[in-house]
Amino acid sequence: MQERFYGDPKSLLVGTLDVVLDSSARVAPYRILHQTQDSQVYWAVACGSSRKEITRHWEWLENNLLQTLSIFDNEEDITTFVKGKIHGIIAEENKNEQPQSEEDPGKFKEAELKMRKQFGMPEVEKLVNYYSCSYWKGRVPRQGWLYLTVNHLCFYSFLLGKEVTLVIQWVDVTQLEKNATLLFPECIKVSTRDSELYFSMFLNINETFKLMEQLANIAMRQLLDNESFLQDKSLPKPRRPLKNISALKRDLDARAKNECYRATFRLPKDECLDGHTDCTLWTPFNKMHIPGQMFVSNNYICFASRAEEACHLIIPLREVTIVEKADSSSVLPSPLSISTKSKMTFFFANLKDRDFLVQRISDFLQRTPSKKPCGIDREWKWNAADPSSEEVPELPSSSPLAVSPTSALSHRPVSFCAGQVPTASQGLLKLFRRNSEELSGPKGAKEKMKEESWNIHFFEYGRGMCMYRTAKTRELVQKGIPENLRGELWLLFSGAWNEMVTHPGYYADLVEKSMGRYNLATEEIERDLHRSMPEHPAFQNELGIAALRRVLTAYAFRNPTIGYCQAMNIVTSVLLLYCNEEEAFWLLVALCERMLPDYYNTRVVGALVDQGIFEELTREYLPQLSEKMQELGVISTISLSWFLTLFLSVMPFESAVVIADCFFYEGIKFILQVSLAILDANMEKLLQCCDEGEAMTILGRYLDNVVNRQSVSPPIPHLHALLTSGDDPPLEIDIFELIKTSYEKFGNLKADDIEQMRFKQRLKVIQSLEDTAKKSVVRAVSGDIGFSMEELEELYVVFKAKYLMSCYWGNNRAAAARRDQSLPYLEQYRIDMEQFTELFISLTPWACGAHTPVLAARLFRLLDENRDSLINFKEFVTGMSGMYHGDLTEKLKVLYKLHLPPALNPEETESALEATSYFTEDVTTEEEKGTSPQDYRYYLRMWAKEKENKKETIKDLPKMSQEQFIELCKTLYNMFSEDPVEQELYHAIATVASLLLRIGEVGKKFSNRPTRKSEDCKANNTQDPVSEEESPTSEQSQNSAVEQQPQAEHEDKASTDAQPEKTQQENQTLGDGSGEGQSSPLQLLSDDETKDDMSMSSYSMVSTGSLQCEDIADDTVLVGCEGSSAAARYGSTIDTDWSISFEQILASMLTETALVNYFEKKVNILQKIKDQKKVERQFSSSSDYELSSVSG
C-alpha cells in the first residue's frame, strides 16, 4: 500500500491523486519511504517530481515528525503513528481541495454530526472548523482531530487502543500561545485554570491559531458584556443551511477583516468592508504612483499604502460627485478617477477588475443619501475663516436646530430649553481667553508659524476628511496642533466627524430626552461636575458646567452599559475647551467605544488590558526596571491614572493636550510609547527606590515639571504640584523633547502587534476578574452557609457554567439579558427553574427518582423570595446547604417547608378546598395593604422581624394539613428507593406515618372548636404575614396532641407487629378498588417480593381506625403514585380539620434509628460536582437538546 503525503505547511501538491488511487500509475522519480527493520513492507510517505521538491518534504518531516518518533518504544507503534498522521494530513488536504459551493454535501456535515455524537453537543452548537493534529499527553503524542465549535474546543483520538476525549469551553481558556519547545518546533498551548494542553503537527498552524483566538475572544466578550456578546452571536450565522466547510469560518474571517479595517481608518462601528484590491494611487504632493490596497465599504473608499506611513486616504461616499474610468495606457493601466465636492480628484490605477469595482461603487453611491442636513454641506469652511467670525445662516423659527445644539457652522448661543443656561457652539477656550499679551509676543508668533505650516499642508495634501495622511502629517502633529485647529483635527483623526455628520440632530434629541431624568449615572455626574478642571476659568461658571453636564448625561443615556465612569468628566472637560458640545459628544463616543474600548466601564477592563500590555513592553524594552517595578507594584498604580485620563490628570494642562494631539492621530500606541519614555527617563532613580510611595513621588514630580514653553494659553495651576518639594529647583522637561525621545526609542511599536497583545491580555484580565468575582461571592456567602470555601468555589463554577450554557444553548436569549453588570457580583448570575432543576438533580443528596424534578421545583419556589422566577448564587447555596449540612432537625425543617406553601403549588395538592384555605393568606394581606391606613405598621413589623437575625425556631413553622402530610410521605418513599437499607427505611417511615396519622386524629378530637371559630382564627393569623405565632386555641390543641404522643406511640409499637399479615390482605382488596389504570409503582411491582414488603408498610401507614375504608384506598394511591387525582375525585375524603406540627413529626422520626442515620449521614458534594462535570457533556441533550439528527 502506498500513501501520498502533503508535508509542506503551505499545502504544496505532491504527486497526483492517481498515484494514490492507481497502483499502476507512473511512479514519481523521488519518494520518501517508511520501513522498519523487521518488516518487508514499506510505506510511501511522500513523493515529488524534483529533488528540490522532495528535499522540502524531508525538511518538514525532520522538523515536525522525526523528533517525535524517538519517544515510542517499539517499531509497530512508530508505524501506526506515522500512518495515522499521514492519513490525517491527506484527509485534511482533501477537505481543503473540495469545491467551495454551497451545494457540496461534503464531509463537513458528516464531521459536524460526528462531533455532536462524540461529545454530546446539542444541535444548536455549530462546528466552525476541524483540523488534524496531535495532542501531547505526557510525552506521547495522540494523533486525532481537533474540532473548534462556537463555544468549545474538542479533541478526539483513538490510537494504539487508547481513547482520548477533551472538551474545553472557550470561557474557561486563560491563555492561548503559539510557541516552540524542544520536543516540537511549533505548537499551540491552551491553558485553563486546571491544566495546560499542547497541540502540534498542524498542516496550517497559523490559520488554526487565528481561528482559536477569534473564538476565545468572542467568549471573553460574553463574560465582559452581554450586549456585545449577543451582537457577536448573531454574526457567525450562515445565510443558507450549513453545508459548506467554511460558512461559519468565512463569517468569522470577514468579521476579523472588518474590525481591522475599521480600526485602521477609524470608521464607525457599523461599517462593513465589501472588498479590497491591489492598486496604485497618484499622489500629487510628490508626483508618484504609490502601491497599496483600495478598500471599499458601504459608505467609504479607503486606501492604505504598502509602506506603512507613505499614505492613508479616506473618501466618504457622501463627498463623491464623479466616478469615471479613464483611458488605459501602458504607463497607467486600468485607471479610475474619483472626484469630490471639495474639488479634489483622486487617481487610482492598476486595478485588476475595474468594471466590477466601478459597479460596486455605483451601487453604494445610489444608496448614499444625497440630501445633506442643514449646515453640513459647507464642511470645513468655518475653520478656514477667521475664528472670530460670527456669521451664521438664518434659521426659520420652526427649525429644529433653533431649539437644539447648533451645527458646526453656527456660532450663536442657543438655549436647550427654557430656564437653561445657554452654551456657545464653539470651544470654551475661545470664550475664556484671557492672556492677549501672549498672542502678540514670541509665543503668539510661534503659534502663527504653526498655523501657517498647517495651512501649507492643507494646500498640498487637502483639508477635511479626504486629506492625504502621510509621514508629514505625523511630523506636524508631533510639533503640536495650533489651538485654533485642535478641535477640527481631533474630530478628523479620531473619525468622530464621520459619525457626527451622518447623525444630524442625534445629540439634540438625546439632550432633550435626558434632561430632567435622574438615575445613578446622573447622580455621579452631578457629584463630579465641579471636580472637572476646577482650576480652569471655563469651569468656574455655570456656562462650562452646564455644557459638561449635558454632554456627560447625553452619553450616559446613549450607552447605559457604561453610563458614567470617573475620568470621563476630566477628558470631556478638555474636549469642551476646543470643540462645541455636539463635537465634544462625538469625540467622547469615539474615545469610549472605539479608541479606548472597555476603558470606561465599572471594571475598567480596557485600562487593565493595556496595563498588562504596558507591563509586557516594560519587560521587553526595560528589563532591568521591569523586575523592580513589579516588586514595588507601581505599574498597576500609575498606568490606570495615566491611561484613563490620557495624562490630563497627572501632567500640566498645556503639556497634556499635546499628548492628546498625538493620541488622536496614533491611538493607544502613542500613550504606551510615551509611558515607556517616562519610565526610561527616571530609571536610575526608580531602581534606587525602597517602596511604592517613593517611586510614585519621583514619577509625580517628573510629570509635574513636563512643560510646554510654546503654549499661548495662560498657565493653569496644577493640583499635583504639591508633590514638588525639596530645596533643589525642579528640572523642567520640555514636552516636545519627551515626545521626540519616545519616537526615537520606542517608535517601532506597531498597532497590529498591540491588538495581538490586547487579545492575550484580555484573556488574562477577564479571567482574573472572574476569579476575583468568585472569591468575593464566596466570601460574601461563606459566613451563613455550611459549605467550606473549596466547596463554595466549586459550586460557583458549576452555577456560572449552567448560566452561561443557557446563554448559548437555551432556546431563547433572555438568559444573557438578565445579567446586570451594575449589580453586585453576587447577583449578576441568576438561573431560572429549568436550570436549577438540572443542577438539583445532579447535586442533591435526596435523589427521589422521577419525583426529583417535583422536589426541585418546590425548593426553587421556596428560595425565590422576591418571586422574579430567578435565583442568585446565595439563594442556590442556601438551598443546597439545607440538604447537606446541619443536624437532623435542620434537614427535616427544609423537607417540611418543601411541603408547605409557597413551595407546594396549589396544583400539586389534590384538594382545591384545602389549597384555597392555605392561599387566602396572601389575598387577605394584599387587600389589607391596599385599603388599611395603618400600612406603616406592616412595614415596621417587617423591619423589626429582619432585625431579629431571622433565627427561625421550630415553633415558628405552621402546621401541616393531612394532604400536605401525604405529599411529604410520598417524597420520603421516593427518597428511600434504591438505598442500601431500603426495606429498613420503608418499615421505619411506615411506623412513623401511622403514628402521626393517629396523633393528628387525637389532636383533632382535643381541639373541639366550631368550624366558624376555626376559620376566624385562621383569618386573624393571616392578617399578620410576619408574625407566625399561632392563636391560643391552636397552641392548646398542639400541646394536647403532644401530651397524647407517648401514649399513641406506645399503642403503635404494640400493635404494629401484629398487623402485617392482616393489613396486606386488606390492602390487596382495597388496592383493587382504587382507581384502575393508575400507574402506581406499588401496583406495577406487586409481584416483586421486595416491593410487597414496601406495599405492606405503606398500607399499614393508613390502616388506622380513624379513617373510613374508601379513604384508606384513596390515600394509599396518593402515597404510592405521584400525580394521582383520586382525592380530587373524592374531595370529601380529605379531613380538613386534621393537622400535625413539625415538633410532632420530629419527635416521631427520632424514635427510628434508620431514619436518623439516613438524614445524618455525610455526603461529599465535591464528588457529586466531579461526577456532574463528567456526565454533563454526555447527557447535555437530555432535557431541551434532543440530538434527533445525530441519533438518526
Side-chain angles (χ1 to χ4, degrees):
M1 180 182 173
Q2 295 181 342
E3 295 293 346
R4 177 177 65 149
F5 173 55
Y6 298 113
D8 189 69
K10 295 179 181 176
S11 305
L12 288 172
L13 191 63
V14 183
T16 63
L17 197 61
D18 291 339
V19 176
V20 181
L21 301 175
D22 185 4
S23 58
S24 63
R26 181 175 61 85
V27 178
Y30 295 96
R31 292 186 297 166
I32 298 174
L33 308 176
H34 171 77
Q35 184 179 24
T36 56
Q37 288 182 355
D38 301 331
S39 173
Q40 298 299 314
V41 180
Y42 67 84
W43 302 90
V45 172
C47 56
S49 56
S50 67
R51 187 181 183 86
K52 183 180 178 183
E53 190 179 355
I54 203 71
T55 304
R56 267 186 293 187
H57 296 318
W58 179 254
E59 287 171 357
W60 191 91
L61 285 169
E62 276 190 318
N63 293 330
N64 292 277
L65 201 64
L66 295 184
Q67 297 175 23
T68 311
L69 301 183
S70 60
I71 293 168
F72 294 100
D73 297 329
N74 59 65
E75 293 176 350
E76 190 178 338
D77 287 354
I78 291 175
T79 304
T80 307
F81 176 75
V82 171
K83 281 166 61 181
K85 182 67 189 171
I86 304 307
H87 274 299
I89 291 171
I90 290 171
E92 185 161 345
E93 183 67 24
N94 289 338
K95 178 189 77 172
N96 292 336
E97 289 295 315
Q98 284 179 358
Q100 297 297 306
S101 63
E102 289 289 342
E103 289 69 39
D104 172 36
K107 294 190 177 178
F108 184 76
K109 194 69 179 173
E110 186 184 328
E112 188 168 42
L113 292 171
K114 195 179 195 179
M115 174 273 296
R116 290 200 193 124
K117 196 168 185 179
Q118 188 68 54
F119 304 104
M121 296 290 179
E123 197 164 348
V124 291
E125 181 71 351
K126 297 294 183 188
L127 178 65
V128 180
N129 212 347
Y130 61 105
Y131 300 94
S132 169
C133 69
S134 292
Y135 160 64
W136 290 77
K137 192 168 184 182
R139 294 179 60 232
V140 181
R142 304 285 183 187
Q143 178 62 33
W145 289 95
L146 181 72
Y147 298 89
L148 304 181
T149 74
V150 175
N151 301 297
H152 297 84
L153 177 153
C154 309
F155 177 83
Y156 179 76
S157 167
F158 186 81
L159 193 65
L160 308 177
K162 292 183 180 176
E163 188 177 47
V164 176
T165 305
L166 292 173
V167 177
I168 298 165
Q169 290 188 51
W170 289 117
V171 289
D172 292 333
V173 173
T174 56
Q175 197 172 10
L176 269 179
E177 282 184 300
K178 186 176 69 175
N179 55 20
T181 66
L182 291 173
L183 279 177
F184 27 82
E186 277 194 310
C187 72
I188 294 175
K189 175 184 170 187
V190 181
S191 303
T192 65
R193 290 178 179 82
D194 308 319
S195 59
E196 292 182 350
L197 311 171
Y198 292 89
F199 301 93
S200 70
M201 299 188 194
F202 291 93
L203 192 63
N204 190 335
I205 193 167
N206 293 325
E207 178 196 323
T208 312
F209 185 69
K210 186 179 175 185
L211 182 57
M212 290 167 83
E213 279 190 328
Q214 283 179 292
L215 293 168
N217 207 28
I218 291 175
M220 290 308 105
R221 284 172 187 255
Q222 181 188 3
L223 292 175
L224 175 64
D225 175 14
N226 292 304
E227 190 177 340
S228 60
F229 166 71
L230 290 176
Q231 291 168 3
D232 276 337
K233 292 293 288 181
S234 65
L235 280 165
K237 194 177 288 180
R239 294 170 191 162
R240 281 171 277 183
L242 183 62
K243 293 179 181 177
N244 182 6
I245 183 169
S246 58
L248 279 174
K249 186 176 179 303
R250 187 173 59 241
D251 283 337
L252 286 169
D253 288 344
R255 181 178 35 198
K257 287 178 182 174
N258 273 329
E259 288 174 353
C260 182
Y261 170 63
R262 289 193 294 261
T264 304
F265 299 103
R266 307 273 170 80
L267 299 177
K269 286 169 71 175
D270 56 355
E271 195 63 22
C272 292
L273 178 65
D274 187 67
H276 58 89
T277 182
D278 291 336
C279 67
T280 58
L281 171 67
W282 170 254
T283 49
F285 51 87
N286 60 3
K287 296 181 174 51
M288 288 177 64
H289 290 281
I290 298 181
Q293 280 193 318
M294 176 195 282
F295 301 84
V296 178
S297 59
N298 41 350
N299 294 298
Y300 299 88
I301 298 170
C302 301
F303 175 85
S305 59
R306 286 208 187 123
E308 191 178 354
E309 291 176 17
C311 183
H312 269 211
L313 180 65
I314 301 167
I315 309 170
L317 292 181
R318 63 178 181 269
E319 294 296 313
V320 174
T321 54
I322 302 170
V323 178
E324 60 181 349
K325 294 182 277 187
D327 295 332
S328 289
S329 67
S330 57
V331 181
L332 211 62
S334 304
L336 180 70
S337 75
I338 298 174
S339 302
T340 66
K341 293 174 183 175
S342 55
K343 304 293 186 278
M344 292 181 74
T345 303
F346 304 94
F347 288 101
F348 296 92
N350 294 288
L351 291 160
K352 288 180 183 174
D353 199 345
R354 184 178 59 167
D355 294 341
F356 176 75
L357 182 65
V358 169
Q359 184 58 48
R360 291 302 292 161
I361 294 173
S362 300
D363 292 344
F364 287 132
L365 279 171
Q366 286 174 3
R367 298 176 209 164
T368 305
S370 56
K371 284 183 92 174
K372 289 283 141 227
C374 177
I376 300 300
D377 51 338
R378 292 157 56 193
E379 193 164 319
W380 296 108
K381 194 169 178 181
W382 69 279
N383 285 305
D386 183 5
S388 63
S389 169
E390 291 293 330
E391 287 184 11
V392 271
E394 288 298 321
L395 292 173
S397 58
S398 61
S399 168
L401 286 175
V403 288
S404 65
T406 52
S407 69
L409 274 166
S410 176
H411 292 263
R412 178 174 56 198
V414 174
S415 294
F416 279 85
C417 52
Q420 286 292 323
V421 177
T423 181
S425 63
Q426 55 184 322
L428 294 173
L429 205 61
K430 294 176 182 175
L431 299 175
F432 291 91
R433 194 185 294 282
R434 297 178 306 176
N435 199 340
S436 56
E437 295 176 8
E438 293 287 358
L439 290 172
S440 57
K443 287 186 178 179
K446 181 77 173 174
E447 186 78 358
K448 289 287 182 189
M449 284 173 62
K450 280 188 187 177
E451 286 185 30
E452 189 57 33
S453 298
W454 275 99
N455 286 330
I456 293 168
H457 186 272
F458 292 148
F459 180 77
E460 289 184 8
Y461 296 86
R463 185 167 192 170
M465 191 52 68
C466 300
M467 171 172 58
Y468 293 98
R469 303 169 195 216
T470 66
K472 177 72 174 170
T473 317
R474 175 195 271 182
E475 285 175 25
L476 285 175
V477 171
Q478 288 173 28
K479 292 174 182 175
I481 297 174
E483 290 197 349
N484 288 333
L485 296 175
R486 190 162 267 145
E488 171 188 341
L489 292 174
W490 283 2
L491 284 163
L492 264 187
F493 297 147
S494 66
W497 178 256
N498 284 323
E499 293 191 274
M500 188 172 76
V501 296
T502 52
H503 294 83
Y506 178 86
Y507 173 69
D509 292 341
L510 267 183
V511 170
E512 192 177 334
K513 288 175 187 172
S514 61
M515 274 303 167
R517 301 265 301 276
Y518 295 98
N519 56 27
L520 181 62
T522 56
E523 286 178 23
E524 291 176 342
I525 289 168
E526 284 300 322
R527 193 174 61 236
D528 283 353
L529 282 176
H530 294 277
R531 303 177 188 170
S532 310
M533 295 191 69
E535 64 277 11
H536 198 285
F539 298 99
Q540 291 170 358
N541 66 81
E542 192 54 32
L543 184 69
I545 293 294
L548 183 59
R549 178 187 291 116
R550 280 191 289 270
V551 173
L552 290 173
T553 307
Y555 186 77
F557 276 82
R558 168 190 163 86
N559 191 342
T561 307
I562 291 176
Y564 170 76
C565 174
Q566 283 190 333
M568 283 170 71
N569 59 321
I570 295 169
V571 174
T572 309
S573 59
V574 174
L575 300 179
L576 280 166
L577 291 176
Y578 297 99
C579 308
N580 67 35
E581 274 187 40
E582 188 176 14
E583 293 165 348
F585 170 79
W586 286 110
L587 271 170
L588 185 62
V589 169
L591 269 177
C592 296
E593 297 173 16
R594 288 189 288 107
M595 298 191 75
L596 297 174
D598 305 321
Y599 260 60
Y600 301 103
N601 56 28
T602 49
R603 300 194 283 180
V604 293
V605 172
L608 292 172
V609 167
D610 287 346
Q611 173 188 303
I613 294 175
F614 185 41
E615 289 181 12
E616 203 173 322
L617 292 172
T618 307
R619 280 195 295 274
E620 184 180 341
Y621 288 98
L622 307 169
Q624 286 179 298
L625 188 58
S626 172
E627 195 175 330
K628 183 71 175 179
M629 297 295 275
Q630 288 290 104
E631 182 189 321
L632 297 174
V634 173
I635 286 185
S636 57
T637 311
I638 58 173
S639 53
L640 281 182
S641 60
W642 292 3
F643 296 167
L644 278 169
T645 65
L646 305 176
F647 288 94
L648 291 164
S649 64
V650 295
M651 201 181 271
F653 169 74
E654 318 77 61
S655 305
V657 288
V658 182
I659 298 279
D661 292 343
C662 296
F663 165 74
F664 280 117
Y665 187 78
E666 295 274 18
I668 192 63
K669 163 186 177 298
F670 176 76
I671 299 294
L672 290 166
Q673 76 181 39
V674 86
S675 300
L676 287 169
I678 291 167
L679 290 187
D680 184 52
N682 291 278
M683 187 186 292
E684 289 184 13
K685 292 179 182 176
L686 289 172
L687 286 172
Q688 295 170 9
C689 287
C690 301
D691 55 40
E692 182 187 0
E694 189 180 349
M696 291 297 294
T697 304
I698 288 168
L699 291 169
R701 190 175 298 160
Y702 178 88
L703 290 170
D704 278 335
N705 292 290
V706 176
V707 297
N708 179 1
R709 299 188 180 93
Q710 300 175 14
S711 173
V712 293
S713 295
I716 298 168
H718 185 50
L719 298 179
H720 281 255
L722 297 172
L723 288 169
T724 304
S725 59
D727 300 329
D728 299 329
L731 182 67
E732 289 188 342
I733 303 97
D734 185 75
I735 182 65
F736 299 104
E737 283 299 316
L738 178 62
I739 289 171
K740 185 181 173 186
T741 305
S742 77
Y743 274 102
E744 287 172 354
K745 291 191 174 182
F746 310 107
N748 59 345
L749 289 177
K750 297 282 187 298
D752 291 346
D753 295 340
I754 289 170
E755 281 306 313
Q756 184 71 25
M757 292 164 82
R758 268 182 169 171
F759 161 75
K760 182 180 171 184
Q761 292 297 330
R762 194 179 291 120
L763 280 182
K764 196 182 293 184
V765 167
I766 293 178
Q767 295 293 15
S768 172
L769 288 171
E770 288 296 309
D771 289 342
T772 304
K774 178 171 74 176
K775 287 172 184 170
S776 301
V777 169
V778 167
R779 274 199 303 270
V781 302
S782 60
D784 310 323
I785 307 296
F787 291 116
S788 67
M789 296 291 270
E790 183 189 2
E791 289 170 336
L792 283 172
E793 286 187 4
E794 287 296 321
L795 280 169
Y796 181 80
V797 169
V798 170
F799 183 85
K800 188 176 87 170
K802 184 59 68 178
Y803 163 81
L804 292 175
M805 200 175 291
S806 71
C807 289
Y808 49 75
W809 280 0
N811 294 329
N812 56 53
R813 288 291 176 268
R818 65 176 176 248
R819 183 186 177 196
D820 185 353
Q821 301 241 345
S822 63
L823 292 172
Y825 286 135
L826 184 61
E827 297 173 38
Q828 282 192 16
Y829 295 115
R830 294 177 292 169
I831 59 174
D832 59 22
M833 185 183 286
E834 185 184 348
Q835 295 153 354
F836 175 80
T837 302
E838 291 170 12
L839 284 176
F840 181 89
I841 290 170
S842 58
L843 298 178
T844 180
W846 297 344
C848 302
H851 193 66
T852 310
V854 177
L855 204 62
R858 289 176 188 168
L859 182 56
F860 184 88
R861 287 191 289 271
L862 184 67
L863 296 173
D864 183 22
E865 292 179 4
N866 60 356
R867 300 289 175 268
D868 63 351
S869 299
L870 296 169
I871 62 168
N872 62 31
F873 180 67
K874 184 171 185 179
E875 291 165 337
F876 169 71
V877 291
T878 301
M880 285 288 135
S881 182
M883 295 185 288
Y884 274 92
H885 296 287
D887 53 16
L888 172 71
T889 307
E890 292 300 316
K891 289 178 181 176
L892 281 179
K893 196 191 292 183
V894 172
L895 199 59
Y896 186 82
K897 285 181 185 176
L898 292 181
H899 297 82
L900 295 173
L904 197 71
N905 249 356
E907 292 82 6
E908 289 184 288
T909 55
E910 285 79 6
S911 169
L913 175 66
E914 187 70 9
T916 308
S917 71
Y918 266 86
F919 281 88
T920 46
E921 181 179 351
D922 291 338
V923 176
T924 311
T925 307
E926 288 298 321
E927 286 173 1
E928 287 182 358
K929 284 165 75 175
T931 58
S932 171
Q934 285 94 10
D935 249 2
Y936 68 93
R937 294 182 185 175
Y938 167 78
Y939 293 107
L940 283 173
R941 286 197 297 271
M942 286 284 286
W943 178 75
K945 197 78 177 173
E946 283 176 7
K947 300 294 281 184
E948 288 175 6
N949 207 13
K950 295 185 178 177
K951 284 200 174 176
E952 188 180 52
T953 65
I954 55 176
K955 288 190 177 181
D956 294 331
L957 295 170
K959 286 194 171 187
M960 184 176 272
S961 71
Q962 189 177 64
E963 200 164 10
Q964 292 160 351
F965 176 69
I966 291 169
E967 284 291 328
L968 173 63
C969 292
K970 185 197 298 184
T971 300
L972 288 167
Y973 269 87
N974 284 302
M975 195 184 292
F976 300 149
S977 176
E978 298 182 14
D979 192 273
V981 289
E982 180 181 3
Q983 292 308 309
E984 195 178 334
L985 287 167
Y986 282 145
H987 282 295
I989 194 60
T991 305
V992 167
S994 182
L995 169 63
L996 287 169
L997 279 168
R998 285 205 297 274
I999 290 174
E1001 287 298 317
V1002 172
K1004 185 175 70 171
K1005 289 175 185 174
F1006 272 82
S1007 58
N1008 293 319
R1009 296 170 292 168
T1011 309
R1012 182 180 180 84
K1013 187 176 178 183
S1014 170
E1015 287 174 0
D1016 290 344
C1017 289
K1018 270 188 181 178
N1020 289 335
N1021 284 339
T1022 56
Q1023 284 176 8
D1024 184 355
V1026 179
S1027 172
E1028 293 179 1
E1029 295 176 14
E1030 298 176 24
S1031 65
T1033 316
S1034 64
E1035 280 184 17
Q1036 185 181 351
S1037 161
Q1038 182 179 317
N1039 293 338
S1040 303
V1042 174
E1043 286 168 9
Q1044 293 296 322
Q1045 184 181 323
Q1047 181 185 350
E1049 187 179 327
H1050 177 73
E1051 287 173 10
D1052 179 74
K1053 288 203 172 187
S1055 62
T1056 303
D1057 295 331
Q1059 285 178 354
E1061 218 171 292
K1062 177 186 172 186
T1063 310
Q1064 190 172 1
Q1065 292 167 4
E1066 259 180 22
N1067 291 333
Q1068 285 168 358
T1069 310
L1070 293 171
D1072 291 337
S1074 61
E1076 291 180 44
Q1078 298 288 336
S1079 58
S1080 167
L1082 304 178
Q1083 293 162 345
L1084 293 172
L1085 301 172
S1086 59
D1087 295 333
D1088 189 321
E1089 191 179 337
T1090 309
K1091 296 299 175 187
D1092 278 346
D1093 287 345
M1094 182 188 83
S1095 304
M1096 173 191 74
S1097 306
S1098 63
Y1099 287 119
S1100 67
M1101 178 187 93
V1102 288
S1103 61
T1104 60
S1106 60
L1107 293 176
Q1108 297 300 318
C1109 181
E1110 63 175 358
D1111 297 344
I1112 299 170
D1114 289 331
D1115 290 348
T1116 303
V1117 177
L1118 274 173
V1119 173
C1121 174
E1122 179 182 337
S1124 169
S1125 58
R1129 293 197 305 273
Y1130 305 101
S1132 59
T1133 63
I1134 297 296
D1135 193 340
T1136 54
D1137 293 332
W1138 189 97
S1139 65
I1140 199 85
S1141 71
F1142 176 72
E1143 293 114 305
Q1144 291 165 336
I1145 291 176
L1146 176 63
S1148 304
M1149 288 269 198
L1150 288 170
T1151 62
E1152 294 293 334
T1153 310
L1155 293 175
V1156 173
N1157 291 343
Y1158 179 86
F1159 283 103
E1160 290 195 341
K1161 70 181 175 186
K1162 301 291 181 188
V1163 181
N1164 184 0
I1165 195 168
L1166 289 177
Q1167 186 58 45
K1168 279 195 171 284
I1169 292 172
K1170 192 175 177 183
D1171 296 340
Q1172 187 255 356
K1173 286 179 179 176
K1174 283 181 186 174
V1175 172
E1176 187 177 55
R1177 197 66 54 214
Q1178 296 170 20
F1179 298 100
S1180 58
S1181 59
S1182 60
S1183 54
D1184 291 335
Y1185 321 124
E1186 287 298 322
L1187 301 185
S1188 54
S1189 60
V1190 177
S1191 58

